Amino acid sequence: AMYVGTLAVINLSSCVVTGNTAATKGGGIRLYNAQAVIGGCEITYNVAGEEGGGIHCKGSTMSTTASTVSDNDPENVFCDECEGCTDS
């Protein structure tokens, strides 16, 4: 799993984020007041204890293209004041 914190900028390309676990939020990726560009990635089979099994996005800007975000628990993507984010 990865945590992207305050003012950080990350570009993920052709990546696989799978089989991770978080006690609370963001089993695969957790964004907090950050910017993320995610392209051509597979984010699958991650688990979070509360929200955002695949991606948890709070107060951030996120864009995803040509990526698969599926089979995460409790949901694939959780958005909280996150530009470019769609709950799924």
Side-chain angles (χ1 to χ4, degrees):
M2 84 184 57
Y3 175 79
V4 183
T6 303
L7 302 178
V9 177
I10 188 168
N11 291 299
L12 297 174
S13 177
S14 301
C15 66
V16 176
V17 180
T18 189
N20 298 288
T21 302
T24 56
K25 301 172 183 171
I29 299 171
R30 185 173 181 188
L31 304 172
Y32 181 78
N33 293 332
Q35 294 180 356
V37 175
I38 302 168
C41 292
E42 179 182 319
I43 302 167
T44 56
Y45 302 106
N46 299 289
V47 177
E50 294 177 9
E51 303 165 337
I55 301 171
H56 183 277
C57 186
K58 175 158 177 78
S60 300
T61 301
M62 178 179 86
S63 81
T64 56
T65 56
S67 295
T68 300
V69 184
S70 66
D71 299 307
N72 298 287
D73 186 48
E75 67 268 309
N76 290 308
V77 181
F78 181 87
C79 309
D80 182 2
E81 299 176 18
C82 187
E83 185 178 326
C85 184
T86 303
D87 289 316
S88 63

